[in-house]
Amino acid sequence: MAAASRPHLLPYAALMGAIVVLCVGTSFAKSLFPLVGAAGTTAYRVGFSALILLLVWRPWRHPLSRADLGRIAAYGAVMGLMNLSFYMAIRTVPLGLAIAIEFMGPLAVAVASSRKLIHFVWIGLAGLGLSLLLPIDPGAKPLDPIGVGFACAAAVMWALYIILGKRTGHLHAGRSVALGMTTAALIVAPIGIASAGASLFHPKVLLLGLVVAVLSSAIPYSLEMIALRGIPKRSFGVVLSIEPAVGALAGLVILGEHLAASQWMAIGAIVAASVGAILTTPANAMAEEIAP
């Protein structure tokens, strides 16, 4: 019986592994900020990820129409801006809270795709979570408004990423992501270079940047591909919704980011709203609602 359950549990273990590795990798990336800044770290993550994906998928072997190239270019541009906005956010906002705010993007898309009365409950719950991030708890450190603004921008970019990603759904997923990430790198790398300067090319820091890309993109993406083969998309989205809580724990353990009780409650409310929205959204509308 135990042996028979292992194949069923493997995809879920892979997805949990992807979430944990991603949060650990992002925490490690934040430790690079004093060396190359948030923009430089984003350039590492996106640039090295693009190189890895290009080597794996070799998309140049499959020519695309001009229309599809335009779709991928828009998809990749949003991908790059989403990564940059998120990394700019976690300069001053604790990791778990930044992830929770960013999750408002896919949550909005999930709710908008199926207008049910119950979805107003999830909107209200998410709004409650966001209100708990306001400086009303004397035990909570006030959040930097600029950092929160960048987290909100990342949420908008994630929503656009989902919408634009669906327009490339008829293409091979791996090759689309490789070309999209390459487009993202072409946008983000010049910003990172302008921000970090020559320090971005120091051999030791370059190696650390490669580690960030592997932990934040290559390994999580590979594990998610394994998970998607054995987990229904609805269940995939539900499990992925715990990422803000995992991010908060990673921030606490690795970065020493202590949150107030109200901030933990905010994360819980947003996670619950995300799970509720997914469970009450028709399966045929859930194809890519929470696809990172």
Side-chain angles (χ1 to χ4, degrees):
M1 179 72 70
S5 67
R6 287 173 190 163
H8 177 71
L9 294 177
L10 178 61
Y12 290 92
L15 181 54
M16 284 301 302
I19 294 170
V20 171
V21 172
L22 174 63
C23 292
V24 169
T26 305
S27 299
F28 179 71
K30 191 168 181 175
S31 68
L32 284 185
F33 287 5
L35 299 175
V36 294
T41 305
T42 309
Y44 280 147
R45 176 183 180 179
V46 175
F48 281 124
S49 297
L51 290 175
I52 293 169
L53 289 169
L54 286 173
L55 289 173
V56 170
W57 295 109
R58 293 176 283 180
W60 56 83
R61 300 182 303 169
H62 305 271
L64 297 172
S65 68
R66 181 174 297 181
D68 285 337
L69 284 173
R71 294 185 185 100
I72 288 178
Y75 164 73
V78 166
M79 185 190 301
L81 294 174
M82 177 178 67
N83 278 275
L84 180 60
S85 299
F86 180 74
Y87 273 42
M88 294 295 286
I90 63 173
R91 291 179 306 166
T92 55
V93 175
L95 178 60
L97 298 181
I99 295 175
I101 295 171
E102 188 188 29
F103 253 73
M104 297 303 294
L107 175 59
V109 175
V111 170
S113 67
S114 178
R115 298 176 182 83
K116 291 184 175 181
L117 185 61
I118 187 63
H119 282 156
F120 289 98
V121 175
W122 310 131
I123 293 172
L125 187 58
L128 172 64
L130 290 178
S131 69
L132 290 171
L133 298 180
L134 296 173
I136 55 178
D137 184 348
K141 182 180 178 181
L143 297 180
D144 171 45
I146 296 177
V148 171
F150 275 117
C152 292
V156 173
M157 291 300 114
W158 196 350
L160 291 174
Y161 170 85
I162 294 169
I163 294 168
L164 294 174
K166 287 182 177 180
R167 296 178 183 176
T168 66
H170 61 289
L171 303 173
H172 185 277
R175 292 192 287 270
S176 297
V177 172
L179 291 172
M181 191 68 76
T182 301
T183 304
L186 292 174
I187 293 172
V188 171
I191 299 174
I193 293 170
S195 173
S199 60
L200 200 66
F201 300 99
H202 189 283
K204 182 179 179 181
V205 185
L206 273 170
L207 182 59
L208 294 175
L210 177 60
V211 173
V212 166
V214 170
L215 290 177
S216 300
S217 295
I219 293 177
Y221 178 74
S222 300
L223 290 173
E224 286 169 6
M225 292 295 286
I226 294 172
L228 279 168
R229 295 191 187 105
I231 302 178
K233 288 183 173 66
R234 186 187 299 273
S235 300
F236 183 93
V238 169
V239 176
L240 196 62
S241 294
I242 70 169
E243 189 176 312
V246 177
L249 290 173
L252 173 64
V253 173
I254 299 172
L255 300 172
E257 295 178 339
H258 294 272
L259 303 181
S262 61
Q263 293 173 329
W264 282 105
M265 291 172 60
I267 290 173
I270 292 171
V271 168
S274 180
V275 171
I278 292 167
L279 291 178
T280 55
T281 298
N284 59 2
M286 277 301 305
E288 297 177 23
E289 301 303 352
I290 311 284

